Amino acid sequence: MLDSLRFGPLDDPQAGPRNRRILAGVVAGIAHYGNCFGVPTVGGECIFEPCYNGNPLVNVFALGVAKKEDIFYASAAGVGNPVIYVGAKTGRDGIHGASMASAEFTEESKQKRPNVQVGDPFLEKLLLEACLEAMQTGAIVAIQDMGAAGLTCSTCEMGSRGGTGIEIELDRVPQRETGMTGYEMMLSESQERMLLVAERGREGEVFDVFQKWGLDAVEIGRVTDDGKLRVLNHGRMAAEIPAHALAEEGPRYERPIAAPKAAPASDLPLVEFAREGTDLTQNFRRLLASPAIASKYWVTEQYDSMVRTNTRVGPGSGDAAVLRLKETKHALALSTDGNGRWGFLSPRLGAMHAVAEAARNVACTGARPIAATNCLNFGNPEKPEVMWQFTEAIDGIAEACRVLETPITGGNVSFYNETLGKPIYPTPVLGVLGLLEDAECALGSGFRNEGDLILLLDASGASAVSSEQQRSEFSSSEYAKAIHGIVAGAPPAIDLAAEKRLIDCLVKLAAERAILSAHDVSDGGVAATVAESCFDSAGLSAQIDLGSSKETGELAEFALFGERGARAVVSLASASLAHATAITAQYNIKVRRIGSVTRGDFRIQYNGAPVIRGKMDSFLRTWSESLGKAIETAS
């Protein structure tokens, strides 16, 4: 699993203590459930922005492996077949959870705390194992979990997909509370529950499996041929409605769409670049300490990332997690990405960058991106400007996925992320899955050996841009936010064809073992990218020369910290340089040798003079300790 998390700033004068408490609680909840459940949490993101003060986001990407011939579907079939409820008993927790998520949070929202479900990871683990074992009996026809709206959705959706009806008797539903009404039972979102359809005459095989695992398994209804969802309560008709109509024929909202009257944040000043020759070391140190770039070890150390013994590249060791596929030579890579700040400044461009970076992250491990999923987080869609953000983001995702050949396999949408009228940034989070043909070729982001060469791969081939365009792009960067407190301008322009060429090139370089590490250029630019590769390299450092403004047309801060995409920093042995260069030429990738892996002081030179320099141990401490100190600050 991967977790993509968004919180308000930890140092906010008013909301900081609450944000720290929420962060600690969310991480503890993920750790407790995931660690008990026995599924490794192998990566994700943790981002901090003021817009998430009232609406923290917890997006989860879960990856499973199945044999394609053994896939089960949630499609009820076989008139007369029994409908079986399995798992935890139904309670009042989670009632109206889905409808609560379909409205803004107000002062009265505090009264809705019972809408949140109560989870039990140990019960979930039993349910998972029991369901898998029951499937192996061959007696299961269909299966669906009880998620949003509980029994209501699982019954009508299974019937709708199968072109059948379902009749259930609520009196048979296992209940953990007394006096529950039919309304409460149908809408409860209590966790750890599944609905099955079994073959008539073989239900005993299913009951035996669940009895073995100590779980409730009760026949609560049957499949019918009339296409209706029929709900009985103590033998009396409580509800009857066409299943397909309820599941698939809900209203289609044609909401007003209008771009904001003025570009977001257009009234804010753009970044003023530092004068050439300015020592930028202190700013670099502050950037490494910013929550977006600082090490997330405080978070990930609480997660079990190695359970099940499949993890080859775990949290903090690569641009994406890598998991081997047992009994094969293959491995899977997975990554999540989403920049809400860029989504705010340009929803379409921000969404395209989210797809591209998640795909680049996967490619930096040597895996070829093959599929994507998404979680789309937005404010109130009844506001025309939010609907405009939503439609722009969808168009951006669609365009990027087509070019990068990563089909969207599913996902979800979370609207109404507003509190007291203040919306979150439009935050599309993309999860990308990649396939490594040979797990032994998996790459990490850390440098490997002293003396290795460091190359900058640049697929964009972009000509020098004007200083004004540099200011506009740079004003949207993490550096502009962390150092200057500015969120303005526009995200960097994106060249999707260049992104695709870089991805293909990285996959080829890894497969032919021409490089030893790879790390994409993103938050913090080349300077942060190189530093992070040092931090994950067991005591190694780097000496870097980025050339001069005459060569690049870039001012020093832009060259160091600019976040233009379609770039990656790789390391390799000097003996592999000719081979690697030949491969990059096949993909029309510009290659610059920018330095070498060393020990001792860290230094970056530009325009013939050091612009960043210092003890590697000192930079490492700043990066590795800052987030933990911020979280543990007394409220």
Side-chain angles (χ1 to χ4, degrees):
M1 303 186 75
L2 299 179
D3 302 296
S4 190
L5 312 177
R6 302 291 186 277
F7 302 99
L10 303 178
D11 59 354
D12 185 291
Q14 281 77 42
R18 181 173 180 270
N19 292 336
R20 291 193 292 272
R21 177 179 61 81
I22 292 173
L23 168 60
V26 166
V27 171
I30 292 170
H32 171 70
Y33 204 102
N35 295 354
C36 296
F37 184 53
V39 174
T41 301
V42 293
E45 306 172 282
C46 190
I47 305 297
F48 303 86
E49 298 280 4
C51 67
Y52 304 115
N53 269 335
N55 289 87
L57 302 179
V58 181
N59 294 170
V60 179
F61 173 12
L63 173 67
V65 177
K67 294 182 178 179
K68 61 183 180 181
E69 62 270 19
D70 293 338
I71 293 174
F72 281 77
Y73 298 92
S75 180
V79 175
N81 278 341
V83 175
I84 301 175
Y85 172 116
V86 299
K89 291 178 170 60
T90 296
R92 289 189 171 93
D93 57 318
I95 294 174
H96 282 298
S99 57
M100 178 190 72
S102 299
E104 294 181 28
F105 285 113
T106 63
E107 290 292 348
E108 290 71 37
S109 296
K110 296 176 183 177
Q111 307 303 317
K112 296 183 177 181
R113 191 166 294 179
N115 297 151
V116 179
Q117 307 94 324
V118 179
D120 181 341
F122 299 105
L123 193 59
E124 178 77 3
K125 178 62 172 175
L126 296 175
L127 180 61
L128 178 148
E129 298 294 347
C131 286
L132 292 177
E133 185 173 329
M135 290 171 177
Q136 293 175 358
T137 66
I140 302 296
V141 174
I143 182 169
Q144 179 168 333
D145 79 308
M146 295 188 216
L151 270 169
T152 300
C153 278
S154 56
T155 50
C156 73
E157 289 174 355
M158 289 177 77
S160 173
R161 292 191 193 98
T164 60
I166 287 184
E167 178 180 294
I168 62 171
E169 169 55 76
L170 292 179
D171 193 39
R172 301 177 187 171
V173 172
Q175 301 163 49
R176 68 168 181 262
E177 300 186 41
T178 59
M180 290 188 69
T181 66
Y183 182 86
E184 291 173 325
M185 282 187 277
M186 289 300 293
L187 289 180
S188 170
E189 295 177 12
S190 294
Q191 297 291 282
E192 291 89 37
R193 302 180 302 159
M194 304 283 276
L195 199 65
L196 317 178
V197 173
E199 287 187 21
R200 174 61 68 189
R202 301 188 65 185
E203 55 268 50
E205 298 174 51
V206 177
F207 296 146
D208 288 345
V209 170
F210 284 89
Q211 183 179 15
K212 167 190 167 182
W213 290 95
L215 297 173
D216 281 322
V218 180
E219 182 178 338
I220 64 168
R222 62 188 179 88
V223 177
T224 63
D225 62 359
D226 59 8
K228 294 182 178 180
L229 168 61
R230 187 173 296 106
V231 181
L232 306 178
N233 196 6
H234 299 288
R236 294 185 177 182
M237 184 77 69
E240 186 179 64
I241 189 170
H244 186 76
L246 187 56
E248 302 294 340
E249 297 176 9
R252 174 170 175 156
Y253 297 103
E254 299 288 350
R255 298 202 184 281
I257 298 173
K261 294 180 180 178
S266 61
D267 56 335
L268 295 178
L270 299 180
V271 162
E272 293 294 340
F273 286 110
R275 288 179 289 109
E276 292 292 330
T278 300
D279 187 339
L280 298 171
T281 300
Q282 286 307 112
N283 283 357
F284 177 59
R285 193 179 299 277
R286 288 173 58 193
L287 182 67
L288 293 178
S290 67
I293 291 179
S295 169
K296 306 305 185 294
Y297 180 73
W298 185 94
V299 174
T300 58
E301 70 170 338
Q302 300 184 54
Y303 302 153
D304 187 341
S305 62
M306 300 302 293
V307 65
R308 308 185 78 85
T309 68
N310 293 317
T311 307
R312 285 189 59 94
V313 178
S317 298
D319 281 19
V322 178
L323 299 140
R324 68 191 181 107
L325 281 170
K326 288 178 179 173
E327 302 177 11
T328 78
K329 68 175 185 177
H330 306 309
L332 298 173
L334 52 161
S335 176
T336 59
D337 192 80
N339 189 323
R341 186 173 65 256
W342 283 2
F344 166 64
L345 294 169
S346 174
R348 182 186 294 248
L349 195 51
M352 293 166 73
H353 274 292
V355 177
E357 184 173 352
R360 274 202 315 273
N361 288 339
V362 164
C364 280
T365 70
R368 181 172 301 283
I370 58 173
T373 185
N374 57 51
C375 187
L376 309 180
N377 306 276
F378 291 83
N380 184 349
E382 297 168 35
K383 297 178 178 178
E385 62 272 20
V386 172
M387 275 303 296
W388 175 79
Q389 292 173 339
F390 182 55
T391 58
E392 285 286 291
I394 289 175
D395 289 344
I397 291 170
E399 182 178 351
C401 286
R402 279 193 292 267
V403 174
L404 301 185
E405 299 177 355
T406 51
I408 293 286
T409 60
N412 72 335
V413 179
S414 174
F415 279 130
Y416 296 96
N417 291 287
E418 298 197 15
T419 295
L420 303 179
K422 296 180 179 179
I424 63 167
Y425 286 157
T427 310
V429 176
L430 270 293
V432 170
L433 173 68
L435 175 65
L436 262 163
E437 295 294 340
D438 186 348
E440 296 302 315
C441 294
L443 296 174
S445 58
F447 294 141
R448 298 277 292 277
N449 310 297
E450 184 177 1
D452 285 346
L453 306 182
I454 301 173
L455 307 181
L456 176 63
L457 308 186
D458 187 348
S460 66
S463 56
V465 298
S466 68
S467 59
E468 199 58 32
Q469 185 176 344
Q470 289 182 36
R471 285 183 68 210
S472 178
E473 282 190 18
F474 199 56
S475 296
S476 72
S477 68
E478 181 63 28
Y479 183 91
K481 178 196 162 195
I483 306 304
H484 300 288
I486 287 178
V487 176
I494 191 168
D495 183 339
L496 292 172
E499 296 281 4
K500 183 67 167 65
R501 286 189 288 106
L502 178 64
I503 287 168
D504 291 343
C505 181
L506 287 167
V507 172
K508 180 80 167 178
L509 288 167
E512 299 202 5
R513 307 193 184 205
I515 58 177
L516 298 173
S517 73
H519 190 10
D520 82 309
V521 178
S522 56
D523 291 344
V526 174
T529 300
V530 173
E532 288 168 349
S533 291
C534 293
F535 297 154
D536 191 38
S537 64
L540 297 176
S541 185
Q543 299 284 316
I544 301 295
D545 187 342
L546 294 180
S548 70
S549 55
K550 289 183 179 179
E551 298 168 358
T552 66
E554 297 173 349
L555 298 172
E557 281 179 296
F558 191 80
L560 291 165
F561 310 115
E563 296 173 355
R564 177 167 47 87
R567 297 183 296 165
V569 170
V570 303
S571 68
L572 69 167
S574 57
S576 300
L577 180 60
H579 185 200
T581 303
I583 293 173
T584 57
Q586 296 174 22
Y587 296 94
N588 193 25
I589 305 293
K590 182 180 178 181
V591 181
R592 289 171 55 199
R593 177 177 171 181
I594 61 172
S596 60
V597 180
T598 63
R599 293 191 183 273
D601 289 357
F602 178 81
R603 186 178 72 181
I604 300 181
Q605 182 169 297
Y606 194 63
N607 285 329
V611 286
I612 294 174
R613 55 188 169 185
K615 299 292 184 184
M616 174 48 64
D617 288 349
S618 176
F619 288 131
L620 175 59
R621 282 196 303 273
T622 298
W623 175 79
S624 62
E625 298 174 1
S626 296
L627 183 61
K629 288 179 178 178
I631 293 169
E632 293 166 0
T633 298
S635 60

